[in-house]
Amino acid sequence: MLYKIVVAPRLKLRKLGLPYPPPSPVIGNLNDFGPNSTHIAQIEWQKKYGDIYAVQFFHVPSIWISKPDILRQIMVKDFSNFPNHFSFNQSLPPFDKTVAELRDHDWKRVRNILVPTFTTSKLRVVVPLIKQATSEFIQRLIEADTKGEKLDMWSSCGQLSMKVILGTAFGVEIESKEQEEKLTKAAGVFFRTDDMSKLQTLLQFLVFTMPNVFKHIEPLLGGRFSNAVNYIVDITKNVIRERRDNLAAGKPCRKDMMQHMIEAGGQDKLSDDEIVSQAVIFLLAGYETTQNALSFTIYALATNPEAQQKLIDEIDSHCLDGDSINYDIISSMSYLDMVISETLRLYPPATITNRDVKKSTTIDGIFFPDDIMVGIPIYAIHHDARLWPEPERFKPERFTPEAKANQHPFAYLPFGNGPRNCIGMRLALLEVKLALIKILQNVEFVAIKETEVPLKLRSINTLAPTNPIYLGIRKRF
Ligand code: HEM
C-alpha cells in the first residue's frame, strides 16, 4: 500500500525526466496551490521550472505545458491521442454523463447532438431572457445608488448569470420570487461561498475527486449537497416530462436550450438522464465563469475610463435604444469584442484545463506516458511577458485584427481550443456582450475609494475576486 501511494508515484514522476516541485507524500503537490491560488502556483512553477515541467496530484503525475506550439499539437493536430479531459474517478450521477466527463465515442455522440444547440440561430432565443435579467441588474444598481448603498458587482453579476443559466439550460420558467430563491439556493451548493464551513468546502472537493468516499460521508453530515442535487434533478425531470407531453400533444413549447436538447439528435436522441446531466454541467461550467467575465469587464472599464468612453461611443453609434439590440448588431461591434477579449486574457475565469493521454507518445522530444495528465496553465500563458508584453496592463488594442494576426492562436486560451473547447463559448460571449451594452446605455462606472486596485484574486474552481468589487455609478440620462 505504502509503495503504491507513496513510492511508485514518485518513481513515475522522476522517470518523466522533467524538473518538478518536490511533492508531499499521498497528496503530491496539492498544497502548492495554497489557499485560493491555483493561478499563482502556475506562475511560480513556470518561473522556477520553465515551459515544461512535471507536477504530482495525489498519485497521478502530470506534465504541464506553456509552449503554444506543443499545445497546438496536443489540442488539435494530435487530438485523436488526447480526446478526453482527465478525471481521477468516475463521477456519481448526474455528473457522470456530462459532455465534459464523457469519453471517446460517448463524448463524440453527445457533443455532436449538443453542438447545434449553441449555433447563432438557436441562441437568438435567449436574447429576451438576457435582456430581462440585465434590466433587473440595472434596477438593482440604480436602487442601491439612490439609497446610498454599496453593491458588490461580483454578487450582482452572479444573480444575472444564474437567472440566465436557469432559464436557458434548465428551461425553468421562474414562477415566483420564492421559487427563484429556492432554486438559486440549491444551485448555489455547487459553488464556494464565503459563509461555507471548512467541512462543506471539503465535501464539495470530495464529490468530484473521491465520489465513493463522499457517497458514504455526506448523508451522515446532513446531506445538504445531495438534497440540493436531488431537488434540481427533480425539477429538471418535471420540466422534461412536461415538455415531452406538450410535444406529443402538439402544444407549443418555449424554444430554449432545454427544448433544443429534447428535440435534438434525429434518430439518436438524448435520454432524460443525459439531458439532466448536460443541464447540470451547463450550470457548473457556465454560471460562475460568466459571472466572473462580466464583473471583471465592468471592473476593467471602471479602472480604465478611456476604454469605457470608447466603448460607450461605439454602443451609442450602433444601438439607438435598448430594445433594438439584436445578434447582428452585437457581432458588428469590434471594440466591444476587443474589450472582452482583453478582460478574458487578463482574468481568465478558467485558469487551467487538462487532457488525458490515450496512448503513450512523444511530441517535440517530450515523452507522454498513457497514465499521466497533461496540464494546460491558461493563466500563466496569458501572463507570459514573452507572449503578452506588459501582461498586467489592460490593453484592448492587443486584439485589433492586425495585432491578432501576429498572435500565436495557442497563446490565448480562455475557452480552451480544439474539438474539446468550451461548448458554451458563444452563449457566454453573447450574454456578457448583450448585458454590457444594455448596462452602459444606462450607467457608467467609476472607481471610488472602496475600489480595490489592483484587484486581489482567488482561484479554486474559477478565477474570482477575493473581496467584493465596489464601484460608483453615474446615470447617463
Ligand atoms: C466566460 C465564460 C466561460 C469560460 C471562460 C469557459 C471556459 C471553458 C474552458 C477553458 C473549458 C475547457 C476547454 C478545453 O479543455 O479546451 C470549458 C469547457 C466547457 N464549458 Fe465553458 N466556459 C465558459 C462558459 C460556459 C457556458 C456558459 C457553458 C454552458 C452553457 C459552458 C460549458 C462548458 C462545457 C460543457 C465544457 C466541456 C466541453 C467538452 O468537454 O466537450 N461553458 N469552458
Side-chain angles (χ1 to χ4, degrees):
M1 187 70 171
L2 187 71
Y3 179 84
K4 206 172 148 198
I5 59 172
V6 179
V7 183
R10 185 70 73 93
L11 290 177
K12 260 201 241 167
L13 188 70
R14 208 175 288 162
K15 228 173 124 188
L16 294 174
L18 296 169
Y20 59 85
S24 309
V26 185
I27 58 167
N29 295 103
L30 206 62
N31 262 344
D32 290 21
F33 277 153
N36 300 330
S37 57
T38 320
H39 62 302
I40 303 293
Q42 301 170 25
I43 300 260
E44 297 293 318
W45 284 335
Q46 191 175 332
K47 252 194 239 155
K48 276 196 194 154
Y49 306 108
D51 290 336
I52 302 162
Y53 53 88
V55 174
Q56 190 186 313
F57 291 109
F58 298 106
H59 59 287
V60 180
S62 57
I63 297 181
W64 288 69
I65 309 278
S66 308
K67 274 197 168 170
D69 277 338
I70 303 186
L71 290 176
R72 188 204 310 259
Q73 196 76 27
I74 291 170
M75 297 171 105
V76 174
K77 290 193 173 159
D78 203 5
F79 175 76
S80 59
N81 203 32
F82 299 90
N84 302 312
H85 284 135
F86 182 89
S87 57
F88 283 92
N89 282 299
Q90 162 88 40
S91 299
L92 301 170
F95 308 104
D96 56 338
K97 293 193 182 70
T98 72
V99 66
E101 172 103 6
L102 289 173
R103 301 173 68 81
D104 302 313
H105 292 298
D106 293 336
W107 165 76
K108 205 166 179 187
R109 174 188 154 253
V110 172
R111 176 116 184 175
N112 282 342
I113 296 176
L114 290 176
V115 163
T117 305
F118 291 91
T119 54
T120 310
S121 62
K122 295 274 166 57
L123 283 180
R124 283 179 206 275
V125 298
V126 303
V127 167
L129 185 72
I130 301 174
K131 282 187 180 173
Q132 192 200 331
T134 309
S135 297
E136 289 172 15
F137 173 92
I138 297 167
Q139 208 178 326
R140 277 198 300 276
L141 268 187
I142 293 180
E143 266 172 28
D145 186 57
T146 313
K147 289 186 197 153
E149 287 169 5
K150 274 186 297 176
L151 203 64
D152 171 17
M153 216 49 70
W154 186 69
S155 307
S156 288
C157 290
Q159 282 170 281
L160 188 159
S161 170
M162 181 63 88
K163 188 160 186 131
V164 173
I165 209 80
L166 288 178
T168 53
F170 287 81
V172 178
E173 272 189 89
I174 310 276
E175 281 151 16
S176 62
K177 208 79 216 128
E178 195 191 341
Q179 192 204 25
E180 180 172 2
E181 275 166 20
K182 217 171 155 191
L183 251 175
T184 305
K185 198 165 165 220
V189 299
F190 295 118
F191 304 96
R192 239 176 98 82
T193 54
D194 291 337
D195 57 354
M196 245 165 81
S197 68
K198 284 213 165 87
L199 193 65
Q200 285 164 350
T201 312
L202 176 73
L203 285 173
Q204 212 183 53
F205 176 71
L206 288 181
V207 71
F208 297 110
T209 49
M210 297 182 195
N212 286 328
V213 177
F214 171 88
K215 197 166 64 185
H216 295 295
I217 295 184
E218 210 250 355
L220 305 174
L221 298 170
R224 176 178 171 267
F225 192 94
S226 329
N227 290 341
V229 172
N230 291 340
Y231 174 71
I232 290 177
V233 169
D234 283 350
I235 287 220
T236 316
K237 284 194 166 161
N238 282 342
V239 172
I240 299 173
R241 204 171 306 126
E242 215 175 278
R243 299 283 184 101
R244 287 205 195 284
D245 289 349
N246 286 347
L247 207 60
K251 289 194 199 156
C253 297
R254 204 170 77 154
K255 285 277 171 205
D256 49 20
M257 276 164 60
M258 169 59 78
Q259 192 62 26
H260 292 312
M261 284 199 278
I262 291 171
E263 291 176 20
Q267 298 286 320
D268 182 17
K269 296 237 179 281
L270 294 176
S271 67
D272 287 7
D273 284 344
E274 285 175 331
I275 294 176
V276 171
S277 287
Q278 308 325 313
V280 167
I281 190 63
F282 293 164
L283 169 68
L284 279 177
Y287 159 60
E288 205 174 84
T289 47
T290 312
Q291 166 186 25
N292 298 340
L294 182 59
S295 55
F296 285 142
T297 311
I298 290 175
Y299 172 84
L301 291 173
T303 49
N304 293 274
E306 279 168 28
Q308 179 168 228
Q309 190 52 53
K310 210 167 159 184
L311 181 55
I312 288 177
D313 291 344
E314 184 180 74
I315 292 171
D316 289 352
S317 67
H318 281 69
C319 318
L320 297 177
D321 63 72
D323 294 329
S324 63
I325 314 167
N326 61 37
Y327 207 102
D328 303 323
I329 296 179
I330 297 170
S331 313
S332 69
M333 296 175 64
S334 54
Y335 194 67
L336 175 65
D337 193 64
M338 287 162 58
V339 162
I340 291 166
S341 300
E342 173 64 348
T343 306
L344 294 177
R345 180 201 63 81
L346 190 55
Y347 307 113
T351 62
I352 47 182
T353 186
N354 65 49
R355 293 290 184 271
D356 195 18
V357 186
K358 196 164 175 171
K359 209 162 66 164
S360 303
T361 188
T362 300
I363 299 175
D364 214 20
I366 316 289
F367 180 63
F368 293 84
D370 62 4
D371 52 358
I372 63 144
M373 176 182 104
V374 177
I376 303 173
I378 298 175
Y379 187 87
I381 296 168
H382 285 193
H383 287 255
D384 186 332
R386 295 165 299 175
L387 303 166
W388 304 100
E390 298 187 282
E392 299 311 318
R393 281 193 58 200
F394 176 77
K395 292 204 280 187
E397 286 62 34
R398 297 181 207 268
F399 290 91
T400 59
E402 305 75 52
K404 266 164 74 174
N406 291 322
Q407 273 164 24
H408 196 300
F410 288 75
Y412 182 65
L413 300 166
F415 295 101
N417 205 325
R420 265 281 176 180
N421 74 349
C422 174
I423 200 170
M425 177 176 74
R426 280 162 185 247
L427 171 63
L429 289 176
L430 171 67
E431 184 176 335
V432 174
K433 287 182 176 182
L434 178 50
L436 212 55
I437 294 173
K438 262 188 88 73
I439 294 166
L440 291 177
Q441 282 179 326
N442 288 276
V443 296
E444 56 190 284
F445 295 94
V446 284
I448 50 173
K449 69 175 184 334
E450 291 85 358
T451 308
E452 193 177 73
V453 182
L455 197 60
K456 283 203 195 92
L457 301 168
R458 64 172 168 87
S459 58
I460 293 191
N461 301 331
T462 67
L463 186 75
T466 309
N467 302 310
I469 299 184
Y470 293 127
L471 300 172
I473 61 159
R474 252 188 243 131
K475 281 185 231 152
R476 292 201 49 220
F477 300 104

